[in-house]
C-alpha cells in the first residue's frame, strides 16, 4: 500500500513527533526507575547504557541507510520506530530488561537518519534546509509538552498509566507508518533487483571519518564539531537525572525546565539564528554559539542552587545555534557534488560523540563520587532539606565536574574554530556521483576503487 496521498514532509514530521512524544512522557518515570534499578553508581550505569546505544547507532546507521536505498524508506521507518519504542512497555514489566533492550535498540535507533533520507527524496535542494529545520523543530516541540504531561499523570494516577499511554502512542506511530505513510523512493531509483550488492564502503561507519584529514578546512570543522558536541551528547544523557538527584528538582520542575528550554531553543534556532547569520556572518555566529556553550557548561558545573540551573538553561538555548551554523557554513562553501560527503563526515562525528559522550560523563561522575544514596523527594516537606543536606555534604568538591570538563572541551573547540576561514571552497577528494540522479544510474552503480559513497547522507544539509 502506498499510504495516504503523495509523500510529503508532513508524513515525516508526524512520525518524528509521535515517537519522541512517547519517549518524552517517560522522562520522569525513567529517572525514578533508573535510580531504583541501579541505586549505586546511577550516573555511571546511565552513561554506559546511553553510550552503548549511541555507539551501536553510529555503527549501524550507514548499513541501514544503504539498505533503505535498495528496499525503500517506508520499511525502514517501520523497523526503526518499532525497535526504538520496543523497550517502553518493559519499564513496568522488568526494569533490567528495559535498560538492556534500550542498549541493544541502538542498532535500529536511527529514525532521524531515515527521516532525513525520506525528506531528501521528496524535496528540491533549495527546499531541503527548511524541511530539515521543520523536522528538527518538531522534535523539539514534542519534548516541550510531553515530559510535563507525563510528570502530571504519574503524580496523579501513577507511572503505570504513563507507560501504558506511551506504549499506545508508539503503537499509533507504527500504525500511522503502516497505513498512512507512502513510499518516498520511486521504483526507478532502486536497483533492478533486491539482490543488488551492498558494498562495504556503503556500510562502513568509519568511511566518512577516513576523509577528514584530506583537507585542512574540513579537519578544522570536524575537530570543532567533535570538541563541542562531545560534552553536549554527554549532557543530554545525564542532565535531567542530575537535576533530579543532585539539585533536588521535582518531576514537575524537570518537566517545566525541559519545556522552557525547548521553547527557547526553537526561538534561537529560527529567529535568532537568522538574524545573527545576516548581521554578523556565519563564522562569527559559530563562535558566539560556542561562547554561550562555554558559559552554560561552566554555570552548570559551578551552580549549586536551582535558580542557577534555570539561568544556565536560558544560555543553553542560545548555544543551540552552533550546529545549524556549522551545517550552513559547510553547505555554502562545499561544492554541489561534495555536499553529502562533507555533511556525512560531520554526521559521523556527531554519531561517534553520541556513544562516547554519555559514557565519558558517567565515568567522570563516578570517579568524583557524585552519587546519591536516596532519591530526594522535593514534593514532600522533607525533600528540599534532603537535597540541601546533600549539597552541603558535597560542598568540598565541584557540584558538576563533567560539565566543567565539557566547558574546557568547548573552549578548545572555540580556539580551533578561530582558524576556520569565513569563505573557502572545501576540496574533499570524493566521487562525483549523486544520490538519485538518473543520468548517473542508481546508487549501487560501479565506482572507482577508493571512492566512498554516502547513500544516506548525500545532499544533506543537517
Amino acid at each position: 500500500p502506498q499510504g495516504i496521498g503523495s509523500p510529503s514532509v508532513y508524513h515525516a514530521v508526524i512520525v518524528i513527533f509521535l515517537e519522541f512524544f512517547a519517549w518524552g512522557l517517560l522522562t520522569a518515570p525513567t529517572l525514578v526507575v533508573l535510580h531504583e534499578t541501579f541505586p549505586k553508581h546511577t550516573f555511571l550505569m546511565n552513561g554506559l547504557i546511553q553510550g552503548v546505544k549511541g555507539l551501536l547507532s553510529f555503527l549501524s546507521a550507514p548499513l541501514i541507510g544503504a539498505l533503505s536505498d535498495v528496499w525503500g524508506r517506508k520499511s525502514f521507518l517501520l523497523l526503526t520506530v518499532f525497535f526504538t519504542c520496543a523497550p517502553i512497555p518493559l519499564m513496568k514489566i522488568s526494569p533490567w530488561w528495559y535498560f538492556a533492550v534500550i542498549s541493544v535498540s541502538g542498532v535500529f535507533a536511527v529514525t532521524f537518519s531515515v527521516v532525513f533520507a525520506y525528506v531528501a527524496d521528496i524535496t528540491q535542494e533549495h527546499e531541503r534546509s527548511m524541511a530539515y529545520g521543520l523536522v528538527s523543530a518538531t522534535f523539539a516541540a514534542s519534548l516541550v509538552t510531553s515530559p510535563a504531561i507525563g510528570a502530571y499523570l504519574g503524580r496523579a494516577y501513577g507511572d503505570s498509566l504513563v507507560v501504558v499511554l506511551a506504549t499506545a502512542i508508539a503503537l499509533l506511530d507504527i500504525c500511522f507508518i503502516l497505513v498512512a505513510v507512502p513510499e518516498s523512493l520511486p521504483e526507478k531509483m532502486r536497483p533492478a533487483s533486491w539482490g543488488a550488492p551492498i558494498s562495504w564502503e556503503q556500510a562502513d561507519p568509519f568511511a566518512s571519518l577516513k576523509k577528514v584529514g584530506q583537507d585542512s578546512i574540513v579537519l578544522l570543522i570536524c575537530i570543532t564539531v567533535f570538541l563541542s558536541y562531545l560534552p553536549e551528547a554527554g549532557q543530554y544523557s545525564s542532565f535531567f537525572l542530575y537535576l533530579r538527584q543532585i539539585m533536588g528538582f521535582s518531576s514537575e520542575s524537570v518537566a517545566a525546565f525541559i519545556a522552557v528550554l525547548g521553547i527557547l531553543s526553537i526561538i534561537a534556532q529560527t529567529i535568532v539564528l537568522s538574524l545573527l547569520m545576516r548581521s554578523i556572518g556565519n563564522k562569527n555566529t559559530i563562535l558566539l554559539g560556542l561562547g554561550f556553550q562555554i558559559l552554560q557548561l561552566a554555570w552548570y558545573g559551578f551552580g549549586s542552587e536551582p535558580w542557577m540551573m534555570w539561568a544556565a538553561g536560558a544560555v543553553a538555548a542560545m548555544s543551540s545555534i552552533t550546529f545549524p551554523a556549522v551545517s550552513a557554513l559547510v553547505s555554502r562553501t562545499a561544492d554541489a557534488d561534495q555536499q553529502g560527503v562533507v555533511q556525512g563526515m560531520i554526521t559521523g562525528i556527531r554519531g561517534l560523540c553520541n556513544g562516547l559522550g554519555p559514557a565519558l560523563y558517567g565515568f567522570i561522575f563516578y570517579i568524583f563520587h557524585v552519587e546519591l544514596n536516596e532519591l530526594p523527594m522535593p514534593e514532600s516537606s522533607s525533600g528540599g532539606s534532603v537535597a540541601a543536606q546533600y549539597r552541603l555534604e558535597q560542598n568540598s568538591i565541584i557540584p558538576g565536574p563533567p560539565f566543567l570538563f565539557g566547558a574546557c572541551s568547548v573552549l578548545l573547540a572555540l580556539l580551533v574554530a578561530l582558524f576556520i576561514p569565513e569563505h573557502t571552497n572545501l576540496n574533499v577528494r570524493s566521487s562525483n556521483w549523486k544520490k538519485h540522479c538518473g543520468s548517473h544510474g542508481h546508487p549501487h552503480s560501479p565506482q572507482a576503487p577508493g571512492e566512498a559513497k554516502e547513500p544516506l547522507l548525500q545532499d544533506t544539509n543537517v
Side-chain angles (χ1 to χ4, degrees), residues 9 119-134 328 331-332 336 339 434 458-462:
V9 177
V119 171
D121 292 337
I122 58 178
T123 55
Q124 300 296 323
E125 189 171 343
H126 66 279
E127 304 171 329
R128 216 157 282 161
S129 295
M130 184 170 291
Y132 286 146
L134 181 61
S331 179
R332 281 175 42 199
Q339 290 283 332
K434 294 180 183 288
Q458 182 72 10
D459 299 328
T460 301
N461 286 324
V462 173

Side-chain angles (χ1 to χ4, degrees), residues 140-331:
S142 69
L143 298 180
V144 167
T145 54
S146 56
I149 295 172
Y152 170 76
L153 292 176
R155 190 174 183 183
Y157 304 103
D159 289 344
S160 296
L161 176 67
V162 180
V163 174
V164 170
L165 180 59
T167 303
I169 293 175
L171 290 173
L172 176 62
D173 197 9
I174 292 171
C175 293
F176 177 78
I177 296 172
L178 280 171
V179 175
V181 175
E183 177 57 59
S184 64
L185 190 63
E187 287 287 344
K188 63 181 180 180
M189 296 298 184
R190 306 183 202 178
S193 68
W194 277 35
I198 303 292
S199 67
W200 169 245
E201 284 78 13
Q202 292 172 271
D204 182 5
F206 300 96
S208 61
L209 304 183
K210 292 173 183 175
K211 304 190 192 77
V212 167
Q214 295 179 359
D215 185 277
S216 59
I217 308 303
V218 175
L219 182 62
L220 290 174
I221 293 175
C222 287
I223 292 175
T224 300
V225 171
F226 179 81
L227 292 175
S228 62
Y229 193 70
L230 184 67
E232 188 175 339
Q235 173 189 319
Y236 285 155
S237 70
S238 61
F239 185 63
F240 302 124
L241 181 63
Y242 178 79
L243 291 179
R244 184 90 168 93
Q245 288 202 28
I246 307 303
M247 302 309 301
F249 274 47
S250 66
S251 298
E252 291 77 8
S253 297
V254 172
F257 187 94
I258 295 172
V260 171
L261 190 60
I263 293 171
L264 292 177
S265 296
I266 292 172
I267 296 172
Q269 293 182 51
T270 52
I271 301 172
V272 177
L273 178 62
S274 177
L275 292 174
L276 289 174
M277 294 282 279
R278 286 199 299 264
S279 58
I280 66 175
N282 205 322
K283 178 183 174 180
N284 290 331
T285 301
I286 295 172
L287 297 176
L288 183 63
L290 292 173
F292 277 118
Q293 190 178 359
I294 294 171
L295 177 60
Q296 160 224 332
L297 289 167
W299 213 337
Y300 281 158
F302 286 113
S304 57
E305 297 296 333
W307 71 266
M308 297 180 180
M309 299 297 104
W310 284 97
V315 178
M318 280 301 300
S319 71
S320 67
I321 64 176
T322 303
F323 188 70
V326 169
S327 297
L329 176 66
V330 170
S331 179

Side-chain angles (χ1 to χ4, degrees), residues 403-427:
F403 303 112
L404 287 186
F405 168 82
C408 295
S409 177
V410 179
L411 178 60
L412 292 176
L414 179 65
L415 296 176
V416 172
L418 289 172
F419 295 95
I420 300 175
E422 177 76 35
H423 302 288
T424 185
N425 288 323
L426 302 181
N427 298 314

